[in-house]
């Protein structure tokens, strides 16, 4: 091992194994939280600009969201598995497996892109026809989603290279990648949607092109950063051969995350079908909610991104005290963030909807929607952190079971039954009902983790 490798590995061990937990968690999480807030901003900006085209355009983007969730699910799930295996390998000082894991992450990102290239070329039109017969909505939606799917290589390259940097504690560089993608998207959105500075007016298609352009540039920058500054990892494909064992280790952790987020796609698709029975405005309201709630949930995901490598590293290093301390801090920070989000959604619900050029019917439906749905935010704080905690310890199956119960077994059936009451406001109550059950399940699973994984290490939880 070279002197540089010894130095960087020792530094990594000092950071993950010895730095005070609160300072370590904040130093790893805050850059990711900031970058994810920017990412949430450009998702919202997309919809704000699209809403200026027409409500049909906004509805089309909302109906496209389930496929976008699937794209993200594969990227995030593969990234979570990569992150856990790579961080654990660093903790175990297994340099060969560190490098092999990184190269497999790139390989799997390409495979994921090819899947959605095929979907973009064959299934987009049938997908929209299954939700609506409105030709204007279908036209906008097919144009938007075809571009997003067929050029999703940027999504997967960005996710992959962010996670490699994050796994070695270089979250500032991961933040730079996200910021670059977000800024490019925000700049290009109005130019391409409305045809400014000599560009043709492309409306919804322009929003899609702005998004994928930002992702592709960010992915390229991520590759350069990994080659230049991520000395703990060596990317070389000269003698690369796919290993079923490494792929299996990545997806043992990653598949539950993929399934959880894919379940989210099914949930959104199902909710859109339920809400379209009321009106297309109801589906648009739900789409706006999903954009706005990302401002509250994205910081929690950033917190999780900082927590996961700490947990995984100290699990590999058998340091139970730091595992427990990190978990406790993360839950407390998450609850604080969600409490602030709930307050904002209750006090400023009308102003938030006016950002999307909301009509009077949309305001009448949207304001109570935000206030009712946000009742589940504080409960969700515990569930989200618990889910990431399970995954970091290689027990992602618990997260998957909770997600299935919350979004398929509970949320959709409850929402469907409440829709028969004839008032869409009752449908929104399905969210706090489902989240309460999820918290109870996560508490049961956390006790199992304490008993089976943590207590045998010699420290009571």
């Amino acid at each position: 091992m070279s002197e540089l490798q010894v130095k960087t590995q020792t530094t990594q061990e000092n950071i993950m194994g010895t730095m005070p937990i609160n300072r370590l968690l904040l130093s790893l999480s805050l850059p990711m939280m900031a970058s994810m807030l920017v990412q949430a901003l450009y998702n919202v900006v997309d919809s704000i600009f699209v809403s200026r085209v027409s409500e049909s355009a906004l509805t089309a983007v909302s109906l496209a969201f389930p496929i976008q969730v699937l794209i993200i699910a594969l990227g995030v799930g593969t990234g979570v598995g990569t992150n856990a295996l790579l961080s654990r390998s660093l903790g175990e000082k297994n340099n060969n497996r560190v490098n092999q894991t990184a190269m497999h992450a790139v390989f799997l990102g390409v495979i994921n892109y090819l899947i959605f290239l095929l979907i973009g070329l064959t299934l987009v039109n049938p997908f929209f026809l299954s939700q609506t017969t409105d030709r204007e909505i279908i036209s906008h939606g097919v144009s938007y989603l075809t571009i997003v799917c067929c050029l999703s290589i940027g999504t997967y390259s960005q996710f992959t290279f962010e996670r490699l940097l994050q796994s070695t504690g270089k979250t500032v560089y991961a933040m730079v990648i996200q910021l670059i993608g977000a800024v490019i998207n925000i700049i290009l959105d109005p130019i391409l949607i409305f045809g400014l500075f000599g560009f043709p007016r492309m409306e919804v298609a322009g929003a899609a092109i702005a998004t994928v352009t930002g992702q592709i540039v960010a992915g390229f920058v991520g590759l350069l950063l990994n080659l230049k500054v991520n000395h703990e990892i060596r990317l070389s494909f000269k003698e690369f051969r796919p290993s079923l064992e490494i792929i299996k280790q990545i997806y043992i952790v990653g598949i539950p995350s993929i399934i959880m987020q894919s379940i989210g796609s099914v949930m959104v698709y199902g909710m859109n079908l339920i809400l379209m029975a009321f009106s297309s405005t109801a589906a648009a309201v739900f789409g706006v909610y999903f954009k706005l709630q990302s401002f509250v949930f994205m910081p929690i995901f950033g917190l999780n991104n900082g927590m996961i490598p700490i947990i995984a590293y100290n699990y590999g290093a058998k340091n139970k005290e730091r595992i427990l301390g990190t978990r406790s801090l993360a839950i407390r920070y998450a609850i604080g963030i969600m409490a602030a989000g709930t307050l904002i959604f209750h006090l400023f619900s009308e102003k938030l909807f006016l950002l999307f050029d909301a009509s009077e019917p949309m305001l009448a439906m949207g304001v109570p929607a935000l206030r009712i749905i946000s009742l589940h935010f504080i409960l969700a704080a515990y569930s989200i952190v618990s889910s990431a905690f399970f995954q970091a310890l290689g027990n992602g199956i618990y997260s998957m079971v909770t997600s299935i119960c919350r979004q398929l077994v509970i949320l959709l059936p409850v929402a469907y039954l409440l829709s028969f009451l004839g008032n869409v406001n009752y449908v929104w109550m399905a969210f706090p009902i489902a989240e309460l059950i999820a918290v109870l399940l996560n508490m049961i699973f956390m006790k199992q983790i304490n008993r089976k994984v943590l207590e045998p290490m010699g420290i009571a939880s």
Side-chain angles (χ1 to χ4, degrees), residues 70-92:
L70 287 178
I71 294 173
I72 294 169
L74 272 180
V76 170
T78 303
V80 166
T82 299
N83 201 338
L85 180 59
L86 204 153
S87 295
R88 189 163 69 245
S89 299
L90 283 168
E92 295 168 349

Side-chain angles (χ1 to χ4, degrees), residues 29 103 193 197 217 256 259 408 449:
S29 299
M103 289 184 289
I193 291 173
F197 306 117
V217 174
I259 292 175
L408 295 186
I449 288 289

Side-chain angles (χ1 to χ4, degrees), residues 203-410:
E203 298 187 342
V204 174
I209 293 172
T211 297
V212 299
T213 300
Q215 292 167 341
I216 290 170
V217 174
F220 181 71
V221 172
L223 171 61
L224 293 180
L225 287 173
N226 273 279
L227 293 175
K228 295 294 184 181
V229 304
N230 206 0
H231 302 298
E232 291 89 340
I233 294 172
R234 187 173 64 89
L235 292 172
S236 175
F237 290 89
K238 290 181 180 179
E239 299 180 359
F240 173 73
R241 297 290 183 276
S243 166
L244 290 178
E245 178 59 29
I246 291 178
I247 293 173
K248 176 183 175 183
Q249 289 299 314
I250 289 174
Y251 283 119
I252 283 175
V253 176
I255 282 179
S257 178
I258 292 171
I259 292 175
M260 282 188 297
Q261 296 207 41
S262 298
I263 289 167
S265 174
V266 175
M267 182 274 290
V268 173
Y269 179 77
M271 286 296 297
N272 283 337
L273 292 179
I274 292 169
L275 294 170
M276 286 294 285
F278 286 93
S279 67
S280 62
T281 299
V285 164
F286 186 58
V288 168
Y289 157 73
F290 248 91
K291 299 292 184 179
L292 292 174
Q293 60 92 30
S294 64
F295 276 108
V296 185
F297 282 74
M298 282 294 189
I300 311 298
F301 296 144
L303 180 69
N304 282 348
N305 285 339
M307 179 189 75
I308 286 174
I310 301 173
I311 298 293
Y313 181 95
N314 286 285
Y315 181 47
K318 308 299 181 186
N319 191 327
K320 289 106 24 191
E321 185 175 2
R322 291 178 68 81
I323 293 173
L324 296 170
T326 303
R327 180 184 70 181
S328 176
L329 274 173
I331 290 173
R332 281 183 277 168
Y333 281 132
I335 289 174
I337 292 169
M338 287 298 199
T342 304
L343 188 63
I344 291 169
F345 270 48
H346 275 258
L347 295 179
F348 304 106
S349 51
E350 182 173 348
K351 290 181 174 61
L352 291 173
F353 259 95
L354 287 174
L355 293 173
F356 298 85
D357 200 26
S359 62
E360 285 300 324
M362 193 173 185
L363 275 176
M365 188 178 294
V367 169
L370 291 188
R371 291 173 177 170
I372 294 170
I373 299 175
S374 63
L375 294 174
H376 85 284
F377 283 0
I378 293 176
L379 295 173
Y382 180 81
S383 294
I384 293 171
V385 174
S386 296
S387 175
F389 182 76
F390 300 149
Q391 291 168 354
L393 294 179
N395 289 273
I397 189 68
Y398 288 164
S399 305
M400 182 179 67
V401 170
T402 303
S403 186
I404 290 173
C405 289
R406 181 178 71 240
Q407 298 186 76
L408 295 186
V409 179
I410 306 299

